[in-house]
Amino acid sequence: MSKIHAEHVFTSESVSEGHPDKVCDQISDAVLDACIEQDPNSRVACEALVTTDLIVVSGEITTKADVVWETVTRDIVRKIGYNTSDMGFSADGAKLMICIHSQSSDISQGVSTGEGKYIEQGAGDQGMMFGFASNETEEFMPAPIIFSHKIVEELARLRHTQPERYPFLRPDSKSQVSVRYISGKPVKVEAIVVSHQHTPEAKDEDIRAVVIEVSKKVIPAHFMDDNVQYFVNPTGRFEIGGPHGDTGVTGRKIIVDTYGGVGSHGGGAFSGKDPSKVDRSAAYMCRYIAKNIVAAGLAEKCEVQVAYAIGVAEPLSLNVDTYKTGVIEKDEGLEKIIRETFDMKPAGIIDTLGLKYPKENGWTYGQTAAYGHFGRDIFPWEKTDKIDVLRETAKKHGLL
């Protein structure tokens, strides 16, 4: 969606907390939370794999924290809802393999302050990261992805809180929303696709009814009309699901995690990585910057890209694209404002967003691991507290 078409339909998907890949993301981030709560300087790169009655947790972890990996892992699976053996995967029945070793000393010297070639903390890896924001929804997110998230999130809430009313719902589900745009603005939902795992005795009409009920609840009414097409469990049945139906791996839902295919993606996954890994922390910072630019009225859409070299603190490049919606004549002017307003060094990002102390600030990395890393105000990178500073800086340089 890098160009504004006169009229087009754009589609994004989301998956629930019970999707096999999301189970792995949540395990990886639960391990990170457990480490960083006791030792904020923990170095964590945790990967998980799940399949029929098997969980593998692996990675490079250097920490002073005393963590029982098995307890953390099984508690997450239990919380998601895989608690009975008839689903082919359960918290207590699955075999668990723990394969963890410490972080490479070569990497450590590049990202630890005072070690290696540079005095400052360097980036944990090379690469480029992107952040995006749009004024098309109140969350400053693209409509298709935020609607997709809300559908599966609400279905999960009903499954957890009203099991007596919805006993047929099981943890695994996927959603997909197609939205019609006119002149770059979303105007109506064209189609909604939901595949939801269910019990053998579930009735198709009951599943369809709850999907339609939820869709109408979470999507603003002005986007919905009687012509919305619903495709609910379009294969017919979805009894075999979760890790028993499909192997899951950490980091495989990077488009679901970000903007649903809108804008660009640097390719790096988030979950299981401590904030020294710029794949994660710099992507959060780019979202923070882009959202504040749009919230400040400096653009209707904004994409921010940054790039790093491993072990080097200063970004190698910074690029801004407002899709020709910016109020400043050239996007290069926004780059100047960003450099003056935001500290893009890894240590600066971690400090600005409080990434070493999530629990003290009312959030956890585990909360990011399902229903998107962006668009929910519980996270610090969703704050719009730089609006005035951005506008004042723009005026100071004669750009407004």
Side-chain angles (χ1 to χ4, degrees):
M1 235 161 70
S2 59
K3 298 179 180 178
I4 297 178
H5 305 286
E7 187 169 349
H8 68 284
V9 177
F10 195 87
T11 302
S12 296
E13 72 160 352
S14 182
V15 297
S16 74
E17 64 199 44
H19 185 280
D21 294 330
K22 279 290 142 199
V23 172
C24 293
D25 285 345
Q26 289 166 94
I27 291 171
S28 295
D29 272 338
V31 168
L32 172 60
D33 279 323
C35 291
I36 211 166
E37 181 178 359
Q38 297 180 44
D39 178 9
N41 295 314
S42 295
R43 295 282 188 254
V44 179
C46 180
E47 315 286 342
L49 177 148
V50 294
T51 187
T52 303
D53 273 334
L54 175 66
I55 306 169
V56 180
V57 180
S58 64
E60 302 80 49
I61 299 177
T62 299
T63 183
K64 297 177 182 177
D66 183 12
V67 179
V68 181
W69 312 118
E70 179 174 3
T71 300
V72 169
T73 301
R74 294 192 187 278
D75 282 352
I76 283 296
V77 175
R78 189 175 297 109
K79 181 180 177 182
I80 292 169
Y82 289 110
N83 299 317
T84 58
S85 59
D86 62 327
M87 286 190 273
F89 179 81
S90 65
D92 296 314
K95 179 182 178 182
L96 176 62
M97 297 176 61
I98 304 294
C99 310
I100 291 172
H101 58 87
S102 61
Q103 183 185 63
S104 160
S105 59
D106 292 342
I107 296 175
S108 178
Q109 71 174 352
V111 299
S112 299
T113 303
E115 296 183 19
K117 293 174 63 178
Y118 303 96
I119 296 174
E120 293 184 274
Q121 177 179 340
D125 202 351
Q126 70 175 48
M128 65 281 190
M129 303 82 207
F130 291 87
F132 180 86
S134 167
N135 65 0
E136 63 190 74
T137 62
E138 64 180 18
E139 296 88 0
F140 294 92
M141 288 286 288
I145 186 64
I146 203 71
F147 296 164
S148 296
H149 285 326
K150 288 183 176 183
I151 289 172
V152 285
E153 186 174 20
E154 177 63 11
L155 286 166
R157 189 190 70 81
L158 294 177
R159 175 173 59 85
H160 284 299
T161 62
Q162 300 183 47
E164 69 289 342
R165 184 177 177 187
Y166 304 103
F168 50 86
L169 295 180
R170 283 187 160 174
D172 192 3
S173 67
K174 301 179 74 172
S175 63
Q176 184 175 287
V177 178
S178 301
V179 176
R180 180 169 297 278
Y181 284 75
I182 297 179
S183 298
K185 300 292 185 183
V187 294
K188 72 181 296 287
V189 170
E190 293 282 326
I192 295 171
V193 182
V194 175
S195 295
H196 205 300
Q197 183 188 14
H198 55 81
T199 59
E201 62 273 11
K203 297 179 180 178
D204 293 345
E205 57 267 29
D206 290 339
I207 302 170
R208 182 177 177 84
V210 70
V211 166
I212 294 175
E213 173 191 334
V214 164
S215 298
K216 290 181 176 180
K217 175 182 177 181
V218 302
I219 298 175
H222 63 276
F223 288 111
M224 304 286 281
D225 63 23
D226 293 337
N227 297 317
V228 176
Q229 292 182 287
Y230 290 94
F231 300 88
V232 181
N233 284 356
T235 65
R237 302 291 287 175
F238 186 8
E239 295 178 29
I240 301 171
H244 182 44
D246 188 14
T247 296
V249 180
T250 297
R252 209 157 54 174
K253 286 292 177 283
I254 60 176
I255 300 302
V256 171
D257 285 343
T258 52
Y259 308 102
V262 177
S264 307
H265 197 296
F270 300 155
S271 289
K273 296 178 181 178
D274 74 81
S276 73
K277 279 76 171 175
V278 285
D279 271 345
R280 184 172 211 162
S281 56
Y284 290 171
M285 192 65 165
C286 287
R287 162 64 176 175
Y288 180 50
I289 294 168
K291 185 176 181 180
N292 274 273
I293 286 171
V294 175
L298 299 179
E300 295 181 16
K301 296 182 181 181
C302 183
E303 180 178 272
V304 177
Q305 186 216 43
V306 68
Y308 295 89
I310 188 169
V312 180
E314 287 285 353
L316 302 182
S317 66
L318 173 67
N319 183 66
V320 185
D321 185 357
T322 63
Y323 302 83
K324 298 182 179 180
T325 68
V327 300
I328 294 173
E329 184 177 358
K330 295 183 178 180
D331 288 342
E332 289 88 339
L334 276 176
E335 293 177 27
K336 184 175 183 180
I337 295 169
I338 290 170
R339 290 183 184 276
E340 194 168 322
T341 305
F342 300 93
D343 185 350
M344 297 297 291
K345 297 177 183 178
I349 293 171
I350 291 168
D351 183 60
T352 298
L353 300 179
L355 298 181
K356 284 188 177 182
Y357 305 96
K359 195 171 183 180
E360 292 181 15
N361 294 298
W363 61 281
T364 67
Y365 284 102
Q367 289 173 302
T368 70
Y371 313 118
H373 290 245
F374 307 117
R376 289 178 286 160
D377 287 342
I378 57 175
F379 304 126
W381 49 91
E382 295 296 320
K383 295 184 295 185
T384 52
D385 56 353
K386 295 295 184 181
I387 293 174
D388 293 338
V389 174
L390 286 167
R391 294 188 65 84
E392 289 167 7
T393 304
K395 289 176 182 177
K396 181 179 70 175
H397 290 291
L399 299 171
L400 279 183

